[in-house]
Amino acid sequence: IDDFAAKNLNFKVFTIENRGLGGARNYGMEKATGDYVIFIDSDDYIAENCIERFVNAACEQNGDIVCCNFCDVAEDGTPLLYYKNSYSEAVTDIYNQPQILFNRFAATGKMYKRELFEGMQFVSREWYEDLRLIVKLYLKAEKIVYVDDFLLFYVQRKGSIMNNSNAKRNLEIITAFEDVFGYYKSQKVYEGFKDELEFLVIEHILIAAVTRVALTKGSDKKEVIKKLLEYANSFDGIYKNKYIKSLGFNKRLILFFNKNIGFIVGKLILK
């Protein structure tokens, strides 16, 4: 990296001790001087024209956040999943389209006006740091712009955070959601986004987290799943959420088994 930067003077390199993903991003934000910022994690790579496309879209629309589509790839580069953002307008905001919350809330695959981060930081050394922050930034963004192309490639590695077998760490999603709900309440907008936020609990706890823990080999997974289900069930009427009908058949099936029969059956179906 140092050799590359020495030959390309518009690049700057900063090296710090390991502060975790959130800490590294925060340090980069301290050093940033541009109008916009983009995060590229160690498991990502971008299309050659990604930043050019982002900048053009931002300048044309005066966008606060610019988003692209994702492609999940195997370590050998084989495409695994093409993830296309769901939106009705190329330029919008969360108040006119609250379903923006259902797109991937990853910090990557987006470009942001740096001023959005004033008074905000990523948490360090905790899972779900993107959930804690990105859905808050949506409230601050007056214009969210979409580039309808696959410009971000996310390499699925066996040892990555989301593939980690440490069951208890999945409980950190509860802390993340409480942080988000607290922020939305402090901004006096929680009731306006209640259905959307609780649907995130359905997708990311009742379906994704419970299933992920069920597939681990940890001896404490039953305890973890019990706590995840207790938290989700604390939301009155969550199983009557209007967005459940938008789930695909597989997700509705997993939700049914996780709720009514138990994760063991769901695990067998997944296998």
Side-chain angles (χ1 to χ4, degrees), residues 56 81-82 105 108 121 151 177 210 223 241 245 260-261:
N56 287 342
L81 172 70
Y82 287 95
F105 46 70
T108 55
Q121 283 191 323
L151 303 177
F177 269 117
V210 170
E223 175 191 352
N241 188 284
K245 61 185 179 183
N260 298 300
I261 300 176

Side-chain angles (χ1 to χ4, degrees), residues 6 12 21 24 39 47 50 61 70 112-113 127 131 133 135 144 147 156 161 167 179 187 190 214:
K12 296 180 181 180
L21 179 57
F39 302 102
C50 175
Q61 305 292 346
F70 290 73
Y112 311 83
K113 272 190 178 176
W127 286 11
L131 168 62
L133 185 57
V135 296
I144 299 174
V147 177
Q156 298 288 305
I161 289 177
D179 182 12
Q187 300 302 305
Y190 177 79

Side-chain angles (χ1 to χ4, degrees), residues 10-173:
N10 55 328
F11 283 79
K12 296 180 181 180
V13 179
F14 302 97
T15 303
I16 57 170
E17 74 285 354
N18 189 345
R19 299 182 185 179
L21 179 57
R25 289 175 179 166
N26 292 336
Y27 185 79
M29 290 296 297
E30 292 173 10
K31 300 294 185 180
T33 58
D35 294 329
Y36 287 88
V37 294
I38 179 174
F39 302 102
I40 306 175
D41 292 346
S42 57
D43 287 334
D44 299 341
Y45 60 92
I46 58 175
E48 289 185 358
N49 63 345
C50 175
I51 294 177
E52 178 183 3
R53 298 280 299 277
F54 275 174
V55 170
N56 287 342
C59 291
E60 289 171 6
Q61 305 292 346
N62 191 27
D64 297 296
I65 299 176
V66 183
C67 309
C68 69
N69 300 326
F70 290 73
C71 180
D72 294 349
V73 299
E75 293 187 56
D76 64 0
T78 303
L80 300 174
L81 172 70
Y82 287 95
Y83 180 86
K84 187 178 174 67
N85 286 305
S86 173
Y87 60 91
S88 57
E89 301 290 340
V91 182
T92 187
D93 61 67
I94 194 173
Y95 297 96
N96 287 306
Q97 191 182 357
Q99 294 90 341
I100 285 172
L101 288 167
F102 303 156
N103 289 333
R104 282 189 179 180
F105 46 70
T108 55
K110 301 175 182 66
M111 188 175 76
Y112 311 83
K113 272 190 178 176
R114 187 163 59 93
E115 63 189 37
L116 291 178
F117 288 85
E118 291 179 4
M120 290 189 168
Q121 283 191 323
F122 290 97
V123 295
S124 184
R125 299 185 182 279
E126 293 188 34
W127 286 11
Y128 308 103
E129 72 285 335
D130 291 355
L131 168 62
R132 285 172 176 259
L133 185 57
I134 303 307
V135 296
K136 297 175 185 176
L137 295 181
Y138 286 154
L139 289 180
K140 300 178 70 175
E142 294 182 6
K143 286 187 178 181
I144 299 174
V145 180
Y146 289 94
V147 177
D148 191 12
D149 202 352
F150 298 93
L151 303 177
L152 189 283
F153 300 86
Y154 175 32
V155 181
Q156 298 288 305
R157 302 187 191 279
K158 291 181 180 179
S160 69
I161 289 177
M162 288 299 97
N163 293 322
N164 193 294
S165 61
N166 188 337
K168 279 192 174 180
R169 296 217 60 183
N170 285 273
L171 292 174
E172 293 176 26
I173 195 171

